[in-house]
Amino acid sequence: MQLDAMRTVLDALPIAVAFVDADERVRIANRACAAILGPAPEGRTCSALLRHPEFLGGLEASLSGDKTHVKRLILTAGGNETHLTVTFTPMITTTVKGVLVAFEDLTPIEQAGVMRRDFVANVSHELRTPLTALVGFIETLRGAARDDPAARDRFLGIMEREAGRMIRLVSDLLSLSRVEAEERRRPANEVDIAVLLKTLLESHRETAASGGIDLRLEMAEGPVRLRADGDQLTQVFHNLVENAIKYGGGGKEVMIRVTELQHEPVLKGAAIQVEVIDRGEGIGPLHLPRLTERFYRVDTHRSREQGGTGLGLAIVKHIVNRHRGRLKIESEPGKGSKFIIILPKT
């Protein structure tokens, strides 16, 4: 194969591929190579582009023999790791002997594996804590507290609370699993979000009033219809209003504001914007990008004391994604928080 023909073929490939000659100099590098070897790698030696012992060893082995070699590399740059499988295949063109080097990026697969391991570890930790408490109290009730009615009542109350926490965790895990399974299927039903929000606020009004919190709904009169799954949207706003009451209720006001947008630039069409606003403590900027991660909590102890599972905002994010909408979070310490849901009307 001529080098010009090879260049045409390699440029059409979606993965990074380069042809290296016997002097270990890059003769051809397709466009995808720039992400690994840097810009304009052609004409430069491999040792100057990628000084990795496994890479250079695989290259030399293929140049000195006629066998294909495969190496695994981990490259670190800017605090991020890139995992690569590199295949070295000896090749002779009409004029040059060399090696075809193909880079397969395994980073997304590795990241998915890390996420699975972290998820299992987090679930195990969240379940182990209440289970350990339950076992300890059961042993105490069978022993020292067997004939102590006051201690028995106190321990049973704690056991009930811990069991409820496990039930909420399992319920949220099942909910998250269902939402993820349906995420690619967009809802087909029509929902009046005005009715949905009024009903939701009535269900929270007693809890809010017990904490001296005023729940307000600000929106135009009349129905506000959009294409949505009513049950899932109820879950979204239930989670957001409940969080606002628990963690932002210090400001003594939680407001839901509904606005109809004639044209939302990102969604490229008409949309409904729903803001859940509290006047509480606010959230620091370091926490904002991570709020929708599973089991991420700004204040772990306080969240557990309030009965939180750390999954509520992850569920919100996936439901909003299913509706092809947007979730924005704005907050400053001491100035409260604003959770903004933007949903397309059609």
Side-chain angles (χ1 to χ4, degrees), residues 245-266:
I245 293 171
K246 286 180 179 178
Y247 309 116
K252 301 303 180 185
E253 180 186 81
V254 172
M255 182 172 70
I256 298 182
R257 180 190 294 143
V258 182
T259 310
E260 293 195 54
L261 306 177
Q262 297 302 317
H263 182 78
E264 207 287 326
V266 176

Side-chain angles (χ1 to χ4, degrees), residues 147-201:
D147 300 317
D148 186 340
R152 185 170 60 244
D153 289 344
R154 184 165 62 87
F155 290 158
L156 286 173
I158 297 172
M159 292 168 68
E160 182 181 27
R161 187 169 67 246
E162 295 295 338
R165 179 177 155 197
M166 285 191 291
I167 290 170
R168 286 191 298 274
L169 176 61
V170 172
S171 176
D172 278 355
L173 286 170
L174 291 173
S175 180
L176 184 60
S177 177
R178 286 194 296 269
V179 170
E180 287 181 324
E182 297 176 342
E183 195 166 342
R184 297 183 183 278
R185 189 174 73 249
R186 192 174 177 192
N189 297 329
E190 190 176 78
V191 173
D192 184 351
I193 202 166
V195 173
L196 184 151
L197 290 174
K198 288 174 183 176
T199 303
L200 178 79
L201 285 186

Side-chain angles (χ1 to χ4, degrees), residues 32-53:
C33 275
I36 298 168
L37 300 179
E42 294 184 2
R44 301 177 64 188
T45 61
C46 288
S47 58
L49 293 168
L50 189 57
R51 296 188 62 82
H52 192 290

Side-chain angles (χ1 to χ4, degrees), residues 10 13-19 28-33 37 100-103:
L10 297 190
L13 296 176
I15 65 172
V17 184
F19 180 69
I28 301 172
N30 68 356
R31 298 183 185 93
C33 275
L37 300 179
L100 195 66
V101 184
F103 301 88

Side-chain angles (χ1 to χ4, degrees), residues 182-188 227 322-324 344-346:
E182 297 176 342
E183 195 166 342
R184 297 183 183 278
R185 189 174 73 249
R186 192 174 177 192
R227 182 179 169 189
R322 186 194 174 199
H323 287 74
R324 307 300 187 265
K345 292 192 72 172
T346 57

Side-chain angles (χ1 to χ4, degrees), residues 99-229:
V99 172
L100 195 66
V101 184
F103 301 88
E104 182 182 1
D105 190 354
L106 301 178
T107 306
I109 297 173
E110 291 292 330
Q111 290 174 341
V114 171
M115 288 176 63
R116 281 195 300 272
R117 290 192 292 272
D118 287 348
F119 181 72
V120 171
N122 280 320
V123 171
S124 301
H125 175 74
E126 294 290 335
L127 287 173
R128 183 178 58 194
T129 302
L131 283 172
T132 302
L134 286 174
V135 170
F137 287 126
I138 289 170
E139 291 175 353
T140 304
L141 288 171
R142 283 178 169 173
R146 180 192 297 271
D147 300 317
D148 186 340
R152 185 170 60 244
D153 289 344
R154 184 165 62 87
F155 290 158
L156 286 173
I158 297 172
M159 292 168 68
E160 182 181 27
R161 187 169 67 246
E162 295 295 338
R165 179 177 155 197
M166 285 191 291
I167 290 170
R168 286 191 298 274
L169 176 61
V170 172
S171 176
D172 278 355
L173 286 170
L174 291 173
S175 180
L176 184 60
S177 177
R178 286 194 296 269
V179 170
E180 287 181 324
E182 297 176 342
E183 195 166 342
R184 297 183 183 278
R185 189 174 73 249
R186 192 174 177 192
N189 297 329
E190 190 176 78
V191 173
D192 184 351
I193 202 166
V195 173
L196 184 151
L197 290 174
K198 288 174 183 176
T199 303
L200 178 79
L201 285 186
E202 285 304 314
S203 69
H204 284 280
R205 203 167 294 282
E206 184 177 344
T207 303
S210 65
I213 301 166
D214 180 29
L215 284 183
R216 293 175 52 203
L217 177 61
E218 183 180 290
M219 64 181 300
E221 292 295 329
V224 180
R225 301 187 182 280
L226 58 99
R227 182 179 169 189
D229 183 316

